[in-house]
């Protein structure tokens, strides 16, 4: 298993198409326009007593893999083999080890370990020290200096009997624009400071907001697009001024303290002293050994104590809204780099952009066309259209405060906290914007841009299949407010006008799955009372909403007499949408 710290200029791909092996992990690392670096992480299991299948371990299977030839390749891991090229002793190697070394030499790989530098120390009293962890690099990796500052790092072991092999892969820190913006700490922000900064930004465009506030003067779609852009920029500027950016802990453990750091350092120092004593005198020092055991036990007790104290204090200080979030502590979720994504009639997608395109092609397919399905006329109202009522401030306020402030924001990073603050600071501007959008029947272009985050569906056997992912779209929170206003009005017309059959329970107010189940049970019991048997046919239409034909939907809305401004808004909402796929923490084009 490999743990990867996310960086905006790196992408990591698990190459399960090259090796489906529990003891061999292959990762491709891409940085800007530089050649892809392949890291092969290997674990060659030690020989068990009485084992007869020793020669079929990972180091043998490695020799049959088709690794890249011209690009940098680094093979590293726990080899559990001895050879005069790296071991502390010069005992003859086994035939299998000789075969492995011959294959590495023929393939041009260079050993980075210095002979005799220990990488493994037994925790047992015998304290044997040897070299088991090795790194080999091919000519391309050597030429590009892929393994900068390679070293055996004793401080990174953190209790393991193996030392860490550390090096730097960096062709030069290439700064890439973070398209999703900064992550802000809204929890500790001061709403008054934000509102003041927001008001100052709005004052720079007073004439425009005065025109917008005139509810009797119609606004064109282009004008509304510019209004939304300027309003979003004002919110972003206020957030930059009044809200601090999140700075995750390097330890990623909130209970880690200076005392734990000191205790860990003491253990590392004692291990180094023990190793130096054995190298000089040929045996371990019992005094150091007792001190090391004592320091190790103290570190473990202290770790448990600090973690328990932090958890207890966090629970004691928790507010009612925080209680449900504590359940996540027991989930143990992990984020894994995506493997190569399969493509129809093509090689698997390996590069990040290609993987995003592969997901988009499968999961964002356009609805199938229908014959004789021209779009309806959206220029003039019909005589049977239902009455269109002007938007009210109560509708907008309820649509804003109906959403949780913990909902994920869109590209601008403006959460529902800032939307609420903006409403409280300048209610007239927000209301006027929503009013004109509904009256004009226009959903602003900025609110039609989404970030589609690719999430793994749980318990899928093969995550190289695009269908093993679902795309969750992150939209601007202000746009969600407008969507909620229109959706509520459409639901009102559906319920009041009986526009859908009474046995449809989804997508209508005051009905849910429980109602469907109760109706189903009632039908079964009624049939049973009359001596009849009920047969039930159930089916699930895959991708039903994704495949709704847009012109047919608009024609149905017109036929049902939905007011023309709402039908025009739905048409605008469905047209010219943009979505960039975000996979492995990186956003595609």
């Amino acid at each position: 298993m490999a743990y990867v710290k996310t960086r905006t200029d790196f992408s990591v791909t698990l190459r399960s198409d090259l090796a489906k092996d529990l003891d061999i992990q292959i990762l491709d690392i891409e940085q800007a326009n530089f050649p892809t670096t392949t890291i092969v992480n290997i674990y060659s299991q030690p020989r068990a007593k009485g084992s007869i299948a020793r020669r079929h371990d990972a180091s043998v299977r490695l020799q049959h893999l088709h690794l890249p030839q011209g690009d940098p390749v680094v093979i590293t891991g726990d080899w559990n083999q001895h050879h005069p090229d790296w071991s502390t002793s010069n005992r003859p190697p086994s035939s299998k080890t000789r075969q492995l070394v011959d294959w590495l030499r023929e393939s041009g790989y260079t050993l980075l370990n210095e002979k005799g530098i220990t990488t493994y120390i037994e925790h047992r009293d015998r304290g044997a020290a040897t070299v088991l962890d090795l790194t080999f690099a091919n000519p391309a990796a050597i030429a590009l200096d892929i393994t900068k500052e390679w070293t055996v790092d004793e401080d990174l072991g953190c209790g393991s009997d193996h030392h860490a092999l550390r090096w730097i892969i960096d062709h030069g820190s290439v700064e890439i624009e973070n398209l999703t913006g900064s992550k802000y700490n809204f929890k500790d922000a001061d709403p008054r400071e934000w509102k003041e900064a927001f008001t100052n930004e709005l004052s720079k465009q007073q004439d425009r907001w005065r025109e917008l506030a005139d509810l009797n003067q119609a606004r064109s779609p282009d004008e509304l697009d510019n209004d939304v852009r300027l309003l979003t920029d004002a919110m972003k500027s206020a957030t930059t001024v009044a809200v601090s950016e999140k700075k995750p802990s390097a330890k990623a453990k909130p209970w880690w303290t200076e005392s734990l750091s000191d205790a860990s350092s003491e253990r590392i120092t004692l291990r180094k002293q023990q190793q130096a004593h054995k190298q000089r005198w040929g045996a371990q020092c019992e005094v150091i050994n007792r001190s090391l055991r004592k320091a190790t036990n103290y570190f473990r007790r202290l770790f448990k104590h600090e973690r328990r104290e932090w958890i207890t204090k966090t629970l004691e200080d928790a507010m009612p809204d925080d209680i449900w979030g504590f359940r996540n502590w027991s989930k143990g979720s992990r984020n894994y780099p995506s493997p190569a994504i399969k493509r129809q009639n093509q090689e698997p997608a390996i590069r990040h952009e290609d993987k995003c395109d592969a997901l988009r092609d499968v999961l964002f397919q356009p609805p199938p066309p229908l014959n004789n399905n021209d779009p309806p006329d959206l220029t003039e109202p019909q005589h049977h259209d239902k009455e269109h009522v002007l938007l009210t401030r109560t509708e907008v306020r309820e649509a804003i405060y109906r959403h949780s402030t913990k909902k994920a924001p869109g590209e601008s990073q403006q959460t529902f906290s800032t939307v609420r603050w903006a409403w409280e600071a300048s209610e007239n501007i927000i209301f006027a914007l929503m009013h004109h959008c509904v009256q004009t029947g226009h959903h602003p272009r900025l609110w039609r841009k989404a970030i589609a985050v690719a999430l793994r569906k749980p318990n899928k056997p093969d995550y190289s299949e695009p269908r093993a992912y679902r795309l969750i779209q992150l939209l601007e929170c202000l746009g969600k407010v407008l969507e909620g206003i229109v959706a509520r009005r459409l639901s009102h017309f559906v319920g009041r006008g009986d526009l859908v059959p009474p046995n449809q329970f989804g997508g209508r107010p005051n009905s849910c799955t429980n109602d469907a189940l109760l109706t189903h049970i009632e039908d079964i019991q009624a049939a049973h009372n009359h001596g009849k048997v009920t047969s039930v046919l159930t089916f699930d239409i895959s991708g039903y909403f994704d495949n709704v034909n847009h012109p047919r939907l608009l024609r149905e809305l017109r036929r049902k007499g939905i007011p023309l401004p709402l039908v025009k808004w739905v048409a605008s909402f469905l047209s010219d949408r943009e979505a960039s796929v975000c996979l492995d923490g990186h956003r595609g084009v």
Side-chain angles (χ1 to χ4, degrees):
M1 180 178 292
Y3 292 88
V4 179
K5 183 177 182 180
T6 303
R7 264 183 56 171
T8 57
D9 57 334
F10 270 88
S11 65
V12 181
T13 302
L14 177 64
R15 295 298 306 274
S16 54
D17 57 314
L18 295 181
K20 293 184 177 180
D21 194 310
L22 294 178
D23 294 327
I24 301 177
Q25 182 187 60
I26 303 180
L27 303 174
D28 275 356
I29 299 178
E30 296 183 13
Q31 183 183 15
N33 297 320
F34 295 98
T36 300
T37 300
T38 300
I39 304 295
V40 182
N41 190 6
I42 183 173
Y43 173 64
S44 184
Q45 296 188 21
R47 180 174 55 213
K49 294 182 179 180
S51 173
I52 59 175
R54 169 63 175 159
R55 55 184 177 175
H56 300 300
D57 66 6
S59 65
V60 176
R61 300 193 297 273
L62 171 69
Q63 302 171 43
H64 300 286
L65 298 180
H66 299 288
L67 298 177
Q69 297 295 324
D71 290 335
V73 178
V74 179
I75 308 176
T76 188
D78 180 2
W79 298 75
N80 273 308
Q81 299 192 43
H82 303 276
H83 191 277
D85 284 358
W86 59 78
S87 296
T88 54
S89 64
N90 291 319
R91 67 181 184 183
S94 65
S95 59
K96 181 176 63 61
T97 303
R98 287 197 300 270
Q99 178 183 345
L100 171 65
V101 172
D102 291 342
W103 174 79
L104 289 167
R105 288 173 177 171
E106 292 173 1
S107 301
Y109 285 89
T110 300
L111 175 65
L112 302 185
N113 293 64
E114 184 179 345
K115 177 180 171 60
I117 300 299
T118 300
T119 66
Y120 170 77
I121 301 178
E122 278 187 331
H123 278 173
R124 294 177 294 181
D125 292 339
R126 189 165 63 95
T130 186
V131 183
L132 299 179
D133 307 277
L134 309 169
T135 301
F136 296 88
N138 72 347
I142 296 296
L144 292 175
D145 195 18
I146 295 298
T147 55
K148 294 182 178 71
E149 302 180 18
W150 187 97
T151 186
V152 178
D153 193 329
E154 301 176 5
D155 297 340
L156 291 180
C158 197
S160 172
D161 47 7
H162 289 262
H163 298 327
L165 304 183
R166 175 176 57 82
W167 69 92
I168 298 174
I169 302 176
D170 196 348
H171 298 285
S173 299
V174 180
E175 183 176 356
I176 295 180
E177 180 185 3
N178 183 2
L179 298 178
T180 58
S182 303
K183 303 294 184 181
Y184 293 100
N185 185 13
F186 289 100
K187 183 178 179 180
D188 298 331
D190 184 355
R192 289 177 298 180
E193 184 180 353
W194 190 95
K195 294 174 189 177
E196 182 180 352
F198 178 63
T199 303
N200 291 336
E201 288 294 324
L202 292 179
S203 64
K204 300 176 183 179
Q205 300 284 341
Q206 288 184 357
D207 293 339
R208 187 175 195 92
W209 306 130
R210 194 177 298 111
E211 294 176 1
L212 177 67
D214 185 357
L215 303 184
N216 296 318
Q217 183 66 38
R219 305 285 284 179
S220 68
D222 290 338
E223 288 176 327
L224 289 174
D225 286 340
N226 288 328
D227 292 337
V228 168
R229 179 180 57 80
L230 292 173
L231 184 63
T232 303
D233 289 343
M235 295 174 67
K236 291 166 63 176
S237 298
T239 301
T240 303
V241 171
V243 185
S244 60
E245 294 186 15
K246 286 184 177 180
K247 297 180 180 180
S249 168
K251 299 289 184 182
K253 299 294 182 185
W255 56 79
W256 191 274
T257 62
E258 290 295 330
S259 299
L260 282 170
S261 297
D262 295 341
S264 179
S265 299
E266 183 179 358
R267 291 169 58 245
I268 293 172
T269 301
L270 289 170
R271 289 188 64 180
K272 290 180 179 179
Q273 293 176 358
Q274 185 69 284
Q275 183 179 355
H277 187 279
K278 184 173 181 180
Q279 288 177 349
R280 181 173 183 180
W281 304 105
Q284 292 187 351
C285 175
E286 187 59 32
V287 175
I288 299 178
N289 217 10
R290 286 196 299 269
S291 299
L292 180 57
R293 286 197 297 269
K294 183 178 179 180
T296 299
N297 292 334
Y298 172 73
F299 173 78
R300 292 172 178 171
R301 291 195 305 271
L302 181 62
F303 184 91
K304 293 179 181 179
H305 171 76
E306 296 290 349
R307 181 175 60 178
R308 184 170 55 250
E309 287 293 313
W310 179 84
I311 292 175
T312 301
K313 187 176 186 305
T314 302
L315 292 174
E316 290 175 348
D317 297 341
M319 302 298 291
D321 292 341
D322 301 328
I323 297 299
W324 298 107
F326 295 146
R327 180 175 175 270
N328 295 328
W329 290 356
S330 61
K331 289 184 178 179
S333 60
R334 295 288 187 272
N335 293 322
Y336 300 101
S338 60
I341 303 296
K342 294 179 181 178
R343 294 183 290 188
Q344 189 174 8
N345 301 324
Q346 297 185 64
E347 293 293 323
I350 299 173
R351 296 177 60 251
H352 180 264
E353 291 296 334
D354 294 338
K355 291 196 287 186
C356 291
D357 290 340
L359 292 176
R360 185 187 295 109
D361 293 342
V362 174
L363 302 178
F364 272 159
Q365 294 182 357
L370 297 177
N371 296 327
N372 302 321
N373 189 43
D374 297 330
D377 179 20
L378 299 180
T379 57
E380 297 294 334
Q382 305 171 126
H383 68 277
H384 66 280
D385 283 351
K386 294 174 171 52
E387 181 185 4
H388 175 65
V389 180
L390 294 179
L391 188 67
T392 65
R393 293 177 184 267
T394 301
E395 285 183 87
V396 180
R397 183 185 301 107
E398 290 180 353
I400 290 175
Y401 286 90
R402 188 185 308 129
H403 293 275
S404 169
T405 57
K406 296 182 180 180
K407 278 194 173 182
E411 182 177 331
S412 70
Q413 290 295 304
Q414 302 310 300
T415 67
F416 272 101
S417 293
T418 60
V419 173
R420 292 183 181 184
W421 299 339
W423 171 262
E424 294 165 4
S426 187
E427 176 181 323
N428 291 335
I429 292 178
I430 305 296
F431 170 71
L433 178 61
M434 299 298 169
H435 166 85
H436 286 297
C437 286
V438 172
Q439 290 300 108
T440 307
H442 178 67
H443 194 64
R445 185 175 297 275
L446 183 63
W447 294 348
R448 282 177 270 162
K449 293 182 178 180
I451 301 174
V453 181
L455 300 180
R456 293 187 176 195
K457 296 180 180 178
N459 304 321
K460 292 295 181 180
D462 185 5
Y463 286 102
S464 64
E465 292 285 350
R467 293 288 182 185
Y469 297 82
R470 71 164 51 91
L471 297 180
I472 305 299
Q473 296 195 53
L474 303 183
L475 297 162
E476 293 296 333
C477 291
L478 264 178
K480 294 179 184 178
V481 172
L482 181 57
E483 292 177 33
I485 292 171
V486 176
R488 196 166 187 178
R489 289 198 162 204
L490 291 175
S491 296
H492 168 75
F493 288 122
V494 168
R496 187 172 182 178
D498 293 328
L499 301 184
V500 297
N503 57 353
Q504 176 178 325
F505 298 94
R508 60 186 303 169
N510 303 319
S511 66
C512 61
T513 306
N514 292 340
D515 297 312
L517 292 173
L518 290 173
T519 303
H520 178 59
I521 294 172
E522 175 67 22
D523 292 340
I524 294 175
Q525 291 176 343
H528 178 74
N529 293 337
H530 290 81
K532 296 180 179 180
V533 176
T534 302
S535 297
V536 179
L537 174 64
T538 63
F539 55 90
D540 180 19
I541 302 177
S542 176
Y544 178 85
F545 291 103
D546 297 337
N547 290 288
V548 170
N549 184 271
H550 296 172
R552 174 65 59 85
L553 172 63
L554 297 176
R555 289 173 67 89
E556 282 298 305
L557 291 176
R558 293 243 69 187
R559 190 175 69 84
K560 297 287 188 181
I562 300 299
L564 181 59
L566 297 186
V567 180
K568 292 173 66 176
W569 182 90
V570 172
S572 174
F573 176 81
L574 295 174
S575 64
D576 301 324
R577 298 193 68 87
E578 301 178 18
S580 56
V581 177
C582 181
L583 180 66
D584 300 334
H586 298 279
R587 182 179 169 189
V589 178

